[in-house]
């Protein structure tokens, strides 16, 4: 079942724990089963990597737990069962907290084993786009349920993890603060950011949207982090760095965030490369096994997932993220969002014959929801 952001908001206002349990106990096993099937189609060698085997085990364990719980409580919708289910999915979410970093570590292990050139890049990209999108959808459903009926706390004006009137300027400013602190930590300097708002629908008003603030922040932060790094490295001996321009616009159909920098840009021939999970311009991070428990890797750690994941976050709710390089000058990055929540539907991978063939023959259709 494809979800719309409008449904998430509406059900959050009027839904019950029993109805949410009934839906999730049916939907989550389906989404987990889909990705478990795709894990059988990994590029040659990837399934042998220790980190990937760890992720496979997490998904298998979670799927078994959900199926067992559903079978043991079939026909029951009482609140006690729903509350136990809430505890179960909270534990599943916690188990999967490290999936992105662990899978990325598996890619690094594969690169080291196969020396890049022998990795099936198309198949890898195809799988990871679908794998991470599936993960986003599962985490959204679990987080929404837990914030409404479990122990996770949500902001006062939020409906679970959804903010019905999310102020984009506030999200951008928060991302600016975080990216500036990180840039200053690494380079001891950071460029300023100028934010401009253009609301064609309600002139003079702020731009608000029904959306998931954490997704927005991730996308904007990632783009700003990249822009700041590019600007600092493009002006190594300058006492004054050119500011980064952020423009937020609202039209009849789209809301757009544009981030423009003067970081030197890249040639158009390399544009697709920077979306690759095999590519990172940052130093390779240490193995996750060497990082003490409780410590986290930094966002500049070189896993190569930041930009590809940002594009997936945008596309997950029927938007997009695009880059327009101006080699020798800088980069324009665009985040496209649907203004109306009824148009912000999930775009999900569907596992079936089309997906199976796609791993063998490129260019087929019918393997994603519309």
């Amino acid at each position: 079942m494809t979800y719309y952001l409008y449904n998430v908001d509406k059900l959050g206002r009027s839904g019950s724990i029993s109805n949410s349990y009934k839906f999730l106990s049916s939907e989550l096993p389906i989404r987990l089963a889909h990705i478990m099937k795709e894990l059988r189609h990994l590029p040659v060698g990837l399934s042998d990597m220790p980190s990937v085997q760890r992720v496979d085990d997490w998904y298998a364990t979670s799927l078994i737990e959900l199926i067992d719980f559903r079978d043991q409580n079939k026909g029951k919708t009482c609140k006690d069962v729903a509350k136990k289910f809430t505890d179960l999915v909270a534990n599943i979410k916690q188990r999967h907290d490290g999936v992105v970093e662990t899978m990325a570590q598996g890619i690094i292990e594969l690169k080291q084993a196969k020396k890049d050139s022998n990795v099936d890049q198309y198949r890898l990209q195809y799988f990871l786009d679908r794998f991470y999108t599936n993960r986003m959808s599962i985490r959204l459903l679990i987080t929404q349920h837990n914030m409404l009926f479990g122990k996770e706390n949500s902001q006062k004006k939020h409906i679970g993890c959804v903010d019905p009137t999310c102020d984009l300027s506030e999200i951008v400013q928060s991302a600016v603060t975080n990216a500036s602190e990180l840039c200053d930590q690494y380079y001891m300097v950071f460029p300023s950011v100028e934010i401009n708002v253009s609301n064609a629908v309600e002139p003079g008003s702020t731009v608000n949207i029904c959306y998931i603030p954490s997704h927005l922040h991730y996308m904007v932060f990632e783009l700003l982090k990249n822009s700041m790094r590019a600007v600092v490295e493009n002006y190594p001996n300058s006492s004054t760095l050119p500011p980064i321009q952020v423009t937020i616009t609202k039209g009849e159909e789209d809301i757009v965030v544009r981030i423009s920098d003067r970081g030197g840009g890249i040639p158009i021939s390399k544009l697709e490369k920077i979306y690759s999970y095999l590519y990172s311009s940052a130093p390779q991070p240490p193995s996750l096994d060497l990082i003490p428990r409780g410590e986290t890797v930094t966002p500049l750690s070189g896993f190569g997932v930041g930009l590809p994941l940002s594009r997936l976050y945008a596309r997950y709710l029927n938007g997009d993220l695009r880059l327009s390089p101006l080699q020798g000058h800088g980069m324009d990055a665009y985040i496209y969002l649907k203004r109306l929540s009824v148009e912000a539907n999930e775009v999900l991978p569907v596992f079936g014959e089309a997906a199976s063939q796609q791993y063998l023959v490129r260019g087929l259709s019918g393997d994603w929801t519309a």
Side-chain angles (χ1 to χ4, degrees), residues 6-77:
Y6 169 78
N7 298 128
V8 178
D9 179 29
K10 183 179 179 181
L11 291 174
R13 296 174 188 269
S14 58
S16 67
I17 186 173
S18 296
N19 288 338
S20 182
Y21 156 63
K22 197 182 300 185
F23 170 69
L24 290 187
S25 63
S26 172
E27 185 68 16
L28 289 178
I30 293 172
R31 298 193 183 196
L32 282 168
H34 279 188
I35 209 63
M36 287 298 297
K37 287 182 178 179
E38 300 220 20
L39 281 165
R40 310 282 81 81
H41 291 269
L42 290 172
V44 176
L46 186 56
S47 60
D48 298 327
M49 299 301 109
S51 294
V52 176
Q53 291 176 348
R54 192 177 308 157
V55 171
D56 196 317
D57 288 343
W58 291 340
Y59 273 83
T61 300
S62 298
L63 179 59
I64 291 169
E65 287 179 353
L66 284 168
I67 292 174
D68 286 348
F69 188 92
R70 185 183 63 187
D71 292 344
Q72 292 166 9
N73 296 280
K74 195 167 289 183
K76 302 177 184 178
T77 57

Coordinates of all heavy atoms in Angstrom, one line a residue, residues 6-77:
Y6 N -0.4 13.2 3.1 CA -1.8 13.7 3.6 C -2.4 12.7 4.5 O -2.9 13.0 5.6 CB -2.7 14.0 2.4 CG -4.1 14.2 2.8 CD1 -4.6 15.4 3.3 CD2 -5.1 13.2 2.6 CE1 -5.9 15.6 3.6 CE2 -6.4 13.3 2.9 CZ -6.8 14.6 3.4 OH -8.1 14.8 3.8
N7 N -2.2 11.3 4.2 CA -2.8 10.3 5.0 C -2.1 10.2 6.3 O -2.7 9.9 7.4 CB -2.7 8.9 4.3 CG -3.5 8.9 3.0 OD1 -3.0 8.6 1.9 ND2 -4.7 9.3 3.0
V8 N -0.7 10.3 6.3 CA 0.0 10.3 7.5 C -0.4 11.3 8.5 O -0.6 11.1 9.7 CB 1.6 10.4 7.2 CG1 2.4 10.4 8.5 CG2 2.0 9.3 6.3
D9 N -0.6 12.5 8.0 CA -1.1 13.6 8.8 C -2.5 13.4 9.3 O -2.8 13.5 10.5 CB -1.0 14.9 8.0 CG -1.5 16.2 8.8 OD1 -1.3 16.2 10.0 OD2 -2.0 17.1 8.2
K10 N -3.4 13.0 8.4 CA -4.8 12.8 8.8 C -5.0 11.7 9.8 O -5.7 11.8 10.8 CB -5.6 12.5 7.5 CG -7.1 12.4 7.8 CD -7.8 12.1 6.5 CE -9.3 11.9 6.7 NZ -10.1 11.6 5.4
L11 N -4.3 10.5 9.6 CA -4.4 9.4 10.5 C -3.8 9.7 11.8 O -4.2 9.2 12.9 CB -3.8 8.2 9.9 CG -4.5 7.6 8.6 CD1 -3.7 6.4 8.0 CD2 -5.9 7.1 9.0
G12 N -2.8 10.6 11.8 CA -2.2 11.0 13.1 C -3.1 11.8 13.9 O -3.0 11.7 15.2
R13 N -4.0 12.5 13.3 CA -4.9 13.4 14.0 C -6.1 12.6 14.6 O -6.6 12.8 15.7 CB -5.5 14.5 13.1 CG -4.4 15.5 12.7 CD -5.0 16.5 11.7 NE -4.1 17.3 11.0 CZ -3.7 18.5 11.5 NH1 -4.2 19.0 12.6 NH2 -2.8 19.2 10.8
S14 N -6.5 11.6 13.8 CA -7.8 10.9 14.2 C -7.7 9.4 14.3 O -8.6 8.7 14.7 CB -8.9 11.2 13.1 OG -8.4 10.7 11.8
G15 N -6.5 8.8 14.1 CA -6.3 7.4 14.1 C -6.2 6.8 15.5 O -6.0 7.6 16.5
S16 N -6.4 5.5 15.7 CA -6.3 4.8 17.0 C -5.1 3.9 17.0 O -4.7 3.5 15.9 CB -7.6 4.1 17.3 OG -7.7 3.0 16.4
I17 N -4.7 3.5 18.1 CA -3.5 2.6 18.2 C -3.9 1.2 17.6 O -3.1 0.5 17.0 CB -3.1 2.4 19.7 CG1 -1.8 1.6 19.7 CG2 -4.2 1.8 20.6 CD1 -1.2 1.5 21.1
S18 N -5.2 0.8 17.8 CA -5.6 -0.5 17.2 C -5.6 -0.5 15.7 O -5.1 -1.4 15.1 CB -7.0 -0.8 17.7 OG -7.1 -1.0 19.1
N19 N -6.1 0.6 15.1 CA -6.1 0.7 13.6 C -4.6 0.8 13.1 O -4.3 0.2 12.1 CB -6.9 1.9 13.2 CG -8.4 1.7 13.3 OD1 -8.8 0.6 13.4 ND2 -9.1 2.8 13.4
S20 N -3.8 1.5 13.8 CA -2.4 1.6 13.4 C -1.7 0.3 13.5 O -1.0 -0.1 12.6 CB -1.7 2.7 14.2 OG -0.3 2.8 13.8
Y21 N -2.0 -0.5 14.6 CA -1.4 -1.8 14.7 C -1.9 -2.7 13.6 O -1.1 -3.5 13.0 CB -1.8 -2.4 16.1 CG -1.8 -3.9 16.2 CD1 -0.7 -4.6 16.0 CD2 -3.0 -4.6 16.4 CE1 -0.7 -6.0 16.1 CE2 -3.0 -5.9 16.5 CZ -1.9 -6.7 16.3 OH -1.9 -8.0 16.3
K22 N -3.2 -2.7 13.3 CA -3.7 -3.5 12.3 C -3.1 -3.3 10.9 O -2.7 -4.2 10.2 CB -5.2 -3.3 12.1 CG -6.0 -4.4 11.4 CD -7.5 -4.1 11.3 CE -8.1 -3.9 12.6 NZ -9.6 -3.7 12.5
F23 N -2.8 -2.0 10.6 CA -2.2 -1.7 9.3 C -0.7 -2.1 9.3 O -0.2 -2.7 8.4 CB -2.3 -0.2 9.1 CG -1.5 0.3 7.9 CD1 -1.8 0.0 6.6 CD2 -0.3 1.1 8.1 CE1 -1.0 0.4 5.5 CE2 0.4 1.6 7.1 CZ 0.1 1.2 5.8
L24 N 0.0 -1.7 10.4 CA 1.5 -2.0 10.4 C 1.8 -3.5 10.5 O 2.8 -3.9 9.9 CB 2.1 -1.2 11.5 CG 2.2 0.3 11.4 CD1 3.1 0.8 12.6 CD2 2.8 0.7 10.1
S25 N 1.0 -4.2 11.2 CA 1.3 -5.6 11.4 C 1.1 -6.4 10.0 O 1.7 -7.4 9.8 CB 0.3 -6.3 12.4 OG -1.0 -6.2 12.0
S26 N 0.3 -5.8 9.1 CA 0.2 -6.3 7.8 C 1.2 -5.7 6.8 O 1.8 -6.5 6.0 CB -1.2 -6.0 7.3 OG -1.3 -6.4 5.9
E27 N 1.5 -4.4 6.9 CA 2.3 -3.7 5.9 C 3.8 -3.9 6.1 O 4.6 -4.1 5.2 CB 2.0 -2.2 5.9 CG 2.7 -1.4 4.8 CD 2.2 -1.7 3.4 OE1 1.1 -2.4 3.3 OE2 2.9 -1.4 2.5
L28 N 4.3 -3.9 7.4 CA 5.7 -4.0 7.6 C 6.3 -5.3 7.1 O 7.4 -5.3 6.5 CB 6.0 -3.7 9.1 CG 5.8 -2.3 9.6 CD1 6.1 -2.3 11.1 CD2 6.7 -1.3 8.9
P29 N 5.7 -6.5 7.4 CA 6.2 -7.7 6.9 C 6.4 -7.7 5.4 O 7.3 -8.3 4.8 CB 5.3 -8.8 7.4 CG 4.6 -8.2 8.6 CD 4.5 -6.7 8.3
I30 N 5.4 -7.1 4.7 CA 5.5 -7.0 3.2 C 6.7 -6.3 2.7 O 7.4 -6.7 1.9 CB 4.2 -6.4 2.6 CG1 3.0 -7.3 2.9 CG2 4.3 -6.1 1.1 CD1 1.6 -6.7 2.5
R31 N 6.9 -5.1 3.4 CA 8.0 -4.3 2.9 C 9.3 -4.9 3.3 O 10.3 -4.8 2.6 CB 7.9 -2.9 3.6 CG 6.6 -2.1 3.1 CD 6.6 -0.7 3.5 NE 5.4 -0.1 3.1 CZ 5.1 1.2 3.0 NH1 6.1 2.1 3.2 NH2 4.0 1.7 2.6
L32 N 9.4 -5.6 4.5 CA 10.6 -6.3 4.8 C 10.9 -7.5 3.9 O 12.0 -7.7 3.5 CB 10.5 -6.8 6.3 CG 10.8 -5.7 7.4 CD1 10.4 -6.3 8.7 CD2 12.2 -5.3 7.4
A33 N 9.8 -8.2 3.5 CA 10.0 -9.3 2.6 C 10.5 -8.9 1.3 O 11.3 -9.6 0.7 CB 8.6 -10.1 2.5
H34 N 10.0 -7.8 0.8 CA 10.4 -7.3 -0.5 C 11.9 -7.0 -0.5 O 12.6 -7.4 -1.5 CB 9.7 -5.9 -0.9 CG 8.3 -6.2 -1.4 ND1 7.6 -5.1 -1.9 CD2 7.6 -7.3 -1.6 CE1 6.4 -5.6 -2.3 NE2 6.4 -6.9 -2.1
I35 N 12.4 -6.4 0.5 CA 13.9 -6.1 0.5 C 14.7 -7.4 0.8 O 15.8 -7.5 0.3 CB 14.2 -5.0 1.5 CG1 15.4 -4.2 1.0 CG2 14.4 -5.5 2.9 CD1 15.2 -3.5 -0.3
M36 N 14.1 -8.3 1.5 CA 14.8 -9.6 1.8 C 15.0 -10.3 0.4 O 16.0 -10.9 0.2 CB 14.0 -10.4 2.8 CG 14.1 -10.0 4.2 SD 15.8 -10.0 4.9 CE 16.2 -11.7 4.8
K37 N 14.0 -10.2 -0.4 CA 14.1 -10.9 -1.8 C 15.2 -10.2 -2.6 O 16.0 -10.9 -3.3 CB 12.8 -10.8 -2.5 CG 11.7 -11.7 -2.0 CD 10.4 -11.6 -2.8 CE 9.3 -12.6 -2.3 NZ 8.1 -12.5 -3.1
E38 N 15.3 -8.9 -2.5 CA 16.3 -8.2 -3.3 C 17.7 -8.4 -2.7 O 18.7 -8.3 -3.5 CB 16.0 -6.7 -3.3 CG 14.6 -6.4 -3.9 CD 14.6 -5.1 -4.8 OE1 15.6 -4.7 -5.3 OE2 13.5 -4.6 -5.0
L39 N 17.8 -8.7 -1.4 CA 19.1 -9.0 -0.9 C 19.7 -10.3 -1.5 O 20.9 -10.6 -1.4 CB 19.0 -9.2 0.6 CG 19.0 -7.9 1.5 CD1 18.5 -8.2 2.9 CD2 20.3 -7.2 1.5
R40 N 18.8 -11.1 -2.1 CA 19.3 -12.3 -2.8 C 19.9 -12.0 -4.2 O 20.4 -12.8 -4.9 CB 18.1 -13.3 -3.0 CG 17.4 -13.6 -1.7 CD 18.1 -14.6 -0.8 NE 19.1 -14.0 0.0 CZ 18.9 -13.3 1.2 NH1 17.6 -13.2 1.6 NH2 19.9 -12.8 1.8
H41 N 19.7 -10.7 -4.7 CA 20.2 -10.3 -6.0 C 21.4 -9.3 -5.9 O 21.6 -8.5 -6.8 CB 19.1 -9.6 -6.8 CG 18.0 -10.6 -7.2 ND1 18.0 -11.2 -8.4 CD2 16.8 -11.0 -6.5 CE1 16.9 -12.0 -8.4 NE2 16.2 -11.9 -7.3
L42 N 22.1 -9.4 -4.8 CA 23.2 -8.4 -4.6 C 24.3 -8.7 -5.7 O 24.4 -9.8 -6.2 CB 23.8 -8.6 -3.2 CG 23.0 -8.2 -2.0 CD1 23.7 -8.6 -0.7 CD2 22.8 -6.7 -2.0
P43 N 25.0 -7.6 -6.0 CA 26.2 -7.8 -6.9 C 27.1 -8.8 -6.4 O 27.2 -9.0 -5.2 CB 26.8 -6.4 -6.9 CG 25.7 -5.5 -6.6 CD 24.8 -6.2 -5.6
V44 N 27.8 -9.5 -7.3 CA 28.7 -10.6 -6.9 C 29.7 -10.2 -5.9 O 30.4 -9.2 -6.1 CB 29.4 -11.2 -8.2 CG1 30.4 -12.3 -7.8 CG2 28.4 -11.7 -9.2
G45 N 29.8 -10.9 -4.8 CA 30.7 -10.6 -3.8 C 30.2 -9.8 -2.6 O 30.7 -9.9 -1.5
L46 N 29.2 -9.0 -2.8 CA 28.7 -8.1 -1.8 C 28.1 -8.9 -0.6 O 28.3 -8.5 0.5 CB 27.7 -7.1 -2.3 CG 27.2 -6.0 -1.4 CD1 28.4 -5.2 -0.8 CD2 26.3 -5.0 -2.1
S47 N 27.3 -9.9 -1.0 CA 26.7 -10.7 0.1 C 27.7 -11.5 1.0 O 27.3 -11.9 2.1 CB 25.7 -11.7 -0.5 OG 26.4 -12.6 -1.4
D48 N 28.9 -11.6 0.5 CA 30.0 -12.2 1.3 C 30.6 -11.3 2.3 O 31.4 -11.8 3.2 CB 31.1 -12.8 0.4 CG 30.5 -13.9 -0.5 OD1 29.6 -14.6 -0.1 OD2 31.0 -14.0 -1.7
M49 N 30.4 -10.0 2.2 CA 31.0 -9.0 3.1 C 30.4 -9.1 4.5 O 29.2 -9.2 4.7 CB 30.9 -7.6 2.6 CG 31.5 -7.4 1.2 SD 33.3 -7.7 1.2 CE 33.4 -9.3 0.2
P50 N 31.3 -9.1 5.5 CA 30.8 -9.3 6.9 C 29.7 -8.3 7.3 O 28.7 -8.6 8.0 CB 32.0 -9.1 7.8 CG 33.2 -9.5 6.9 CD 32.7 -9.0 5.5
S51 N 29.9 -7.0 6.9 CA 28.9 -6.0 7.3 C 27.6 -6.2 6.6 O 26.5 -6.0 7.2 CB 29.5 -4.6 6.9 OG 30.6 -4.3 7.7
V52 N 27.6 -6.6 5.4 CA 26.3 -6.9 4.7 C 25.6 -8.1 5.3 O 24.4 -8.1 5.4 CB 26.6 -7.1 3.2 CG1 25.3 -7.5 2.4 CG2 27.2 -5.9 2.6
Q53 N 26.4 -9.1 5.7 CA 25.8 -10.3 6.3 C 25.1 -9.9 7.6 O 24.1 -10.4 8.0 CB 26.8 -11.3 6.6 CG 27.3 -12.0 5.3 CD 28.5 -13.0 5.5 OE1 29.1 -13.0 6.6 NE2 28.8 -13.8 4.5
R54 N 25.7 -8.9 8.3 CA 25.1 -8.4 9.6 C 23.8 -7.7 9.3 O 22.8 -8.0 10.0 CB 26.1 -7.4 10.2 CG 25.7 -7.0 11.6 CD 26.8 -6.1 12.2 NE 28.2 -6.7 12.0 CZ 29.3 -6.0 12.0 NH1 29.2 -4.7 12.1 NH2 30.4 -6.6 11.9
V55 N 23.7 -6.9 8.2 CA 22.5 -6.3 7.9 C 21.4 -7.3 7.5 O 20.3 -7.2 7.9 CB 22.7 -5.3 6.7 CG1 21.4 -4.7 6.1 CG2 23.6 -4.1 7.1
D56 N 21.8 -8.3 6.7 CA 20.9 -9.4 6.3 C 20.3 -10.0 7.5 O 19.1 -10.3 7.6 CB 21.7 -10.4 5.4 CG 20.8 -11.3 4.6 OD1 19.8 -11.8 5.2 OD2 21.0 -11.6 3.5
D57 N 21.1 -10.3 8.5 CA 20.7 -10.9 9.7 C 19.6 -10.1 10.5 O 18.6 -10.6 11.0 CB 21.8 -11.2 10.7 CG 22.7 -12.4 10.2 OD1 22.2 -13.1 9.3 OD2 23.9 -12.5 10.7
W58 N 19.9 -8.8 10.5 CA 18.9 -7.8 11.2 C 17.6 -7.9 10.5 O 16.5 -8.0 11.2 CB 19.5 -6.4 11.1 CG 20.7 -6.2 12.0 CD1 21.1 -6.9 13.0 CD2 21.6 -5.1 11.8 NE1 22.3 -6.4 13.5 CE2 22.6 -5.2 12.8 CE3 21.7 -4.0 11.0 CZ2 23.6 -4.3 13.0 CZ3 22.8 -3.1 11.1 CH2 23.7 -3.3 12.1
Y59 N 17.6 -7.9 9.2 CA 16.3 -7.9 8.4 C 15.6 -9.2 8.6 O 14.4 -9.2 8.8 CB 16.5 -7.6 7.0 CG 16.5 -6.1 6.6 CD1 17.7 -5.3 6.8 CD2 15.4 -5.5 6.2 CE1 17.7 -4.0 6.6 CE2 15.4 -4.1 5.9 CZ 16.5 -3.4 6.1 OH 16.5 -2.0 5.9
A60 N 16.3 -10.3 8.6 CA 15.7 -11.6 8.7 C 15.1 -11.8 10.1 O 14.0 -12.2 10.3 CB 16.7 -12.7 8.5
T61 N 15.8 -11.3 11.2 CA 15.3 -11.3 12.5 C 14.1 -10.5 12.7 O 13.1 -11.0 13.3 CB 16.4 -10.8 13.5 OG1 17.6 -11.7 13.4 CG2 15.9 -10.9 14.9
S62 N 14.1 -9.3 12.1 CA 12.9 -8.4 12.3 C 11.7 -9.0 11.6 O 10.5 -9.0 12.1 CB 13.2 -7.1 11.7 OG 14.3 -6.5 12.4
L63 N 11.9 -9.6 10.4 CA 10.8 -10.2 9.6 C 10.2 -11.4 10.4 O 8.9 -11.5 10.5 CB 11.2 -10.6 8.2 CG 10.2 -11.3 7.3 CD1 9.0 -10.3 7.1 CD2 10.8 -11.7 6.0
I64 N 11.0 -12.2 10.9 CA 10.5 -13.4 11.7 C 9.8 -12.9 12.9 O 8.7 -13.5 13.2 CB 11.7 -14.3 12.1 CG1 12.3 -15.0 10.9 CG2 11.3 -15.3 13.1 CD1 13.6 -15.6 11.1
E65 N 10.3 -11.9 13.6 CA 9.6 -11.4 14.8 C 8.2 -10.9 14.5 O 7.2 -11.1 15.2 CB 10.4 -10.3 15.5 CG 11.7 -10.8 16.2 CD 12.5 -9.7 16.8 OE1 12.2 -8.5 16.6 OE2 13.4 -10.0 17.5
L66 N 8.1 -10.1 13.4 CA 6.8 -9.6 13.0 C 5.8 -10.6 12.6 O 4.6 -10.6 13.0 CB 7.0 -8.6 11.8 CG 7.6 -7.2 12.2 CD1 8.0 -6.4 11.0 CD2 6.6 -6.4 13.0
I67 N 6.3 -11.6 11.8 CA 5.4 -12.7 11.4 C 4.9 -13.5 12.6 O 3.7 -13.9 12.7 CB 6.1 -13.6 10.4 CG1 6.3 -12.8 9.1 CG2 5.3 -14.9 10.1 CD1 7.1 -13.5 8.0
D68 N 5.8 -13.8 13.5 CA 5.5 -14.6 14.7 C 4.5 -13.9 15.5 O 3.5 -14.5 16.0 CB 6.7 -14.9 15.5 CG 7.6 -16.0 14.9 OD1 7.1 -16.7 13.9 OD2 8.8 -16.1 15.3
F69 N 4.7 -12.6 15.7 CA 3.8 -11.8 16.5 C 2.4 -11.7 15.9 O 1.4 -11.9 16.6 CB 4.3 -10.3 16.7 CG 3.5 -9.5 17.7 CD1 3.9 -9.4 19.0 CD2 2.4 -8.8 17.2 CE1 3.1 -8.7 19.9 CE2 1.6 -8.0 18.1 CZ 2.0 -8.0 19.5
R70 N 2.3 -11.6 14.6 CA 1.0 -11.5 13.9 C 0.3 -12.8 14.0 O -0.9 -12.9 14.3 CB 1.3 -11.1 12.4 CG 0.0 -10.9 11.6 CD 0.3 -10.7 10.1 NE 0.9 -11.8 9.5 CZ 1.4 -11.8 8.3 NH1 1.4 -10.7 7.6 NH2 2.0 -12.8 7.8
D71 N 1.0 -13.9 13.8 CA 0.4 -15.3 13.9 C -0.1 -15.6 15.3 O -1.2 -16.2 15.5 CB 1.4 -16.3 13.4 CG 1.7 -16.2 12.0 OD1 0.9 -15.5 11.2 OD2 2.7 -16.8 11.5
Q72 N 0.7 -15.2 16.3 CA 0.3 -15.4 17.7 C -0.9 -14.6 18.2 O -1.6 -15.0 19.1 CB 1.5 -15.2 18.6 CG 2.6 -16.2 18.4 CD 3.9 -15.8 19.1 OE1 3.9 -14.8 19.8 NE2 5.0 -16.5 18.8
N73 N -1.1 -13.5 17.5 CA -2.2 -12.6 17.9 C -3.3 -12.3 16.9 O -3.9 -11.3 16.9 CB -1.6 -11.2 18.3 CG -0.7 -11.3 19.5 OD1 -1.1 -11.4 20.7 ND2 0.6 -11.4 19.3
K74 N -3.4 -13.3 16.0 CA -4.3 -13.2 14.9 C -5.8 -13.1 15.4 O -6.2 -13.8 16.3 CB -4.2 -14.4 13.9 CG -4.9 -14.2 12.6 CD -4.5 -15.3 11.6 CE -3.1 -15.2 11.2 NZ -2.7 -16.2 10.2
G75 N -6.5 -12.1 14.9 CA -7.9 -11.9 15.3 C -8.0 -11.0 16.5 O -9.2 -10.6 16.9
K76 N -6.9 -10.6 17.2 CA -7.0 -9.8 18.4 C -6.7 -8.3 18.0 O -5.7 -8.1 17.2 CB -6.0 -10.2 19.4 CG -6.2 -11.7 19.9 CD -5.1 -12.0 20.9 CE -5.1 -13.5 21.3 NZ -4.0 -13.8 22.2
T77 N -7.4 -7.4 18.5 CA -7.2 -6.0 18.2 C -7.2 -5.1 19.5 O -7.3 -3.9 19.5 CB -8.2 -5.4 17.2 OG1 -9.5 -5.6 17.7 CG2 -8.1 -6.0 15.8

